């Protein structure tokens, strides 16, 4: 494995059973992730974007091992994490942290900020009492809070300040990878930019790598180096930020971009709308899963699933009509 790659995901699937019971097989499966392959380099901010229910959050949860994948490999820092014991996984958890969407429910209201941030030190047996206090004060300073805030409770803070506390907790153990799952979507627009700038600042200072999950293309554009667009549990387009936003190739990405309030002035196909609703994850359409909604669909689209293919250097799409970066 390339030593610059921190995280590699190969053929990841996560199916949730529905129906069935203790003695009966599940009747169906929700295919939340249906064969994802991606890699993230050290120091990179990799964006995962798509409509709600496309499986992006499930990928983050599988990587952190909050969910057990149905199939596929996750290789982190050179180690495949699928076969690790609980003890090995605990030490690996120091290197992987998650920031959740809702800063209101993800903080224990009965604990002070200091206890919330330093909880992991107890779990991992790190630092003396004095050192922990110093470290807590350093961490709150890094996220733009004051030292006295470590004695206060979450309810005493605004939404933006609570997300700063969540960020401090996530970086407390000096992780290598932070999975940020919609970290600003629960915040006022005026606060969102402050938290995004904080994340970028910390990434540079602490050499962090982010998997940044969002439904909001404008947020992803602000922060990410590379972006993957997901539809029904699969990646349909992946490219560097400039390539994706200046020249979206997949009809789904073009549709998503046309829904952004300020249309991209550089997009060659702005104004395209996606028709219809997201299809069922239990019974996804055959062929290209996007074909019932696609304005460019041709007959092969309902029969054969397109593979993710590199159509320009570093620019990958899964579409039958895209060869060498052009619709034909
Ligand atoms: Fe549209 Fe066909 Fe391309 Fe799917 S493969 S995005 S249906 S043109």
């Amino acid at each position: 494995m390339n030593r610059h790659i921190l995280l590699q995901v190969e053929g990841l699937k996560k199916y949730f059973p529905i129906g069935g019971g203790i003695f009966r097989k599940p009747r169906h499966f929700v295919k939340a992730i249906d064969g994802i392959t991606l890699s993230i380099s050290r120091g990179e901010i990799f964006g995962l974007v798509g409509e709600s229910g496309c499986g992006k959050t499930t990928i983050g949860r599988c990587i952190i091992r909050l969910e057990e994948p149905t199939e596929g490999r996750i290789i982190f820092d050179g180690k495949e994490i699928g076969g690790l014991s609980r003890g090995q996984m605990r030490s690996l958890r120091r290197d992987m942290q998650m920031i959740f969407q809702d800063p209101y429910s993800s903080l224990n209201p009965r604990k002070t900020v200091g206890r919330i941030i330093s909880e992991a030190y107890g779990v991992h047996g790190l630092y003396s009492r004095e050192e922990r206090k110093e470290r807590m004060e350093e961490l709150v300073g890094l996220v733009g809070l004051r030292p006295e805030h470590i004695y206060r409770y979450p309810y005493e803070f605004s939404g933006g300040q609570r997300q700063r506390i969540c960020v401090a907790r996530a970086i407390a153990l000096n992780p290598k990878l932070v999975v940020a799952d919609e970290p600003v979507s629960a915040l006022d627009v005026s606060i969102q930019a402050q938290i995004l700038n904080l994340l970028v600042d910390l990434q540079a200072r602490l050499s962090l790598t982010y998997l940044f999950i969002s439904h909001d293309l404008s947020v992803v554009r602000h922060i990410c180096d590379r972006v993957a667009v997901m539809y029904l549990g699969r990646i349909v387009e992946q490219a560097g930020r400039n390539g994706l936003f200046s020249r979206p190739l997949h009809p789904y990405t073009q549709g998503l971009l046309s829904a952004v309030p300020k249309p991209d002035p550089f997009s060659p196909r702005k104004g395209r709308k996606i028709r219809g609703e997201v299809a069922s994850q239990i019974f996804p359409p055959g062929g290209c899963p996007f074909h019932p909604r696609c304005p460019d669909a041709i007959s092969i689209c309902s029969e054969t699933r397109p593979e993710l293919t590199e159509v320009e250097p570093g620019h990958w799409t899964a579409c039958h009509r895209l060869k060498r970066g052009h619709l034909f």
Side-chain angles (χ1 to χ4, degrees):
M1 183 172 147
N2 184 329
R3 67 188 172 83
H4 299 296
I5 305 266
L6 179 64
L7 177 77
Q8 191 151 347
V9 173
E10 294 174 1
L12 190 72
K13 294 185 181 177
K14 177 65 187 176
Y15 294 174
F16 293 100
I18 49 172
I22 299 174
F23 300 110
R24 281 181 298 138
K25 282 187 177 173
R27 295 180 55 183
H28 300 292
F29 290 90
V30 174
K31 295 176 179 172
I33 314 175
D34 199 14
I36 292 284
T37 294
L38 58 85
S39 60
I40 304 179
S41 301
R42 293 174 199 274
E44 186 176 35
I45 305 183
F46 187 93
L48 209 47
V49 72
E51 289 167 291
S52 127
C54 70
K56 54 194 188 306
T57 291
T58 310
I59 293 178
R61 292 177 66 83
C62 285
I63 289 167
I64 297 286
R65 291 292 294 278
L66 294 174
E67 299 284 357
E68 200 59 41
T70 306
E71 205 178 299
R73 301 202 315 152
I74 298 169
I75 300 154
F76 176 74
D77 208 12
K79 287 193 202 85
E80 182 168 353
I81 64 173
L84 296 184
S85 66
R86 279 189 164 204
Q88 289 170 316
M89 200 55 222
R90 190 186 309 142
S91 64
L92 198 70
R93 282 240 162 81
R94 286 176 61 171
D95 292 332
M96 295 174 154
Q97 294 292 320
M98 191 154 184
I99 300 170
F100 296 93
Q101 176 176 355
D102 185 358
Y104 295 88
S105 64
S106 63
L107 296 173
N108 187 331
R110 285 187 288 276
K111 291 183 177 170
T112 62
V113 169
R115 275 195 68 193
I116 289 169
I117 294 174
S118 64
E119 212 157 29
Y121 298 148
V123 173
H124 293 279
L126 297 173
Y127 304 126
S128 67
R129 202 184 162 94
E130 268 312 298
E131 286 169 336
R132 281 184 195 180
K133 183 166 175 290
E134 272 176 34
R135 181 83 179 121
M136 281 189 273
E137 289 178 354
E138 184 192 348
L139 283 164
V140 291
L142 272 173
V143 300
L145 297 173
R146 294 197 303 276
E148 62 268 28
H149 285 152
I150 62 175
Y151 303 106
R152 298 204 189 151
Y153 288 86
Y155 72 85
E156 298 178 68
F157 295 91
S158 66
Q161 287 174 315
R162 286 186 204 200
Q163 199 56 303
R164 287 176 191 271
I165 298 166
C166 294
V167 173
R169 176 175 60 183
I171 61 171
L173 291 169
N174 289 323
K176 292 176 182 161
L177 175 73
V178 174
V179 176
D181 183 11
E182 302 269 14
V184 297
S185 60
L187 304 176
D188 287 351
V189 174
S190 57
I191 307 296
Q192 287 186 358
Q194 293 175 18
I195 299 296
L196 291 175
N197 289 339
L198 171 67
L199 291 172
V200 172
D201 180 47
L202 290 174
Q203 189 249 352
R205 276 207 216 186
L206 307 176
S207 306
L208 295 168
T209 302
Y210 291 131
L211 172 59
F212 191 91
I213 297 166
S214 179
H215 70 281
D216 188 338
L217 280 159
S218 49
V219 166
V220 166
R221 182 178 196 163
H222 184 80
I223 191 169
C224 296
D225 301 310
R226 276 191 308 143
V227 182
V229 179
M230 284 188 67
Y231 186 76
L232 276 184
R234 290 197 156 216
I235 292 174
V236 296
E237 184 161 8
Q238 183 179 309
R241 172 181 48 187
N242 292 339
L244 191 102
F245 286 97
S246 65
R247 202 167 126 68
L249 296 176
H250 195 281
Y252 178 62
T253 314
Q254 292 170 353
L256 280 183
L257 277 171
S258 78
V260 174
K262 285 184 187 165
D264 182 348
F266 304 109
S267 170
R269 308 189 73 184
K270 60 184 184 280
R272 304 186 102 210
K273 292 273 181 282
I274 303 173
R275 61 183 187 222
E277 300 289 320
V278 180
S280 160
Q281 288 175 299
I282 305 169
F283 305 109
C288 172
F290 187 57
H291 84 260
R293 305 174 75 190
C294 181
D296 298 314
I298 50 178
S299 60
I300 190 179
C301 300
S302 59
E303 294 156 11
T304 310
R305 190 187 277 265
E307 292 299 324
L308 195 62
T309 309
E310 191 170 23
V311 290
E312 289 177 359
H315 200 143
W316 298 69
T317 55
C319 175
H320 290 303
R321 297 199 63 184
L322 284 160
K323 294 275 187 276
R324 292 179 297 281
H326 296 284
L327 272 175
F328 68 92

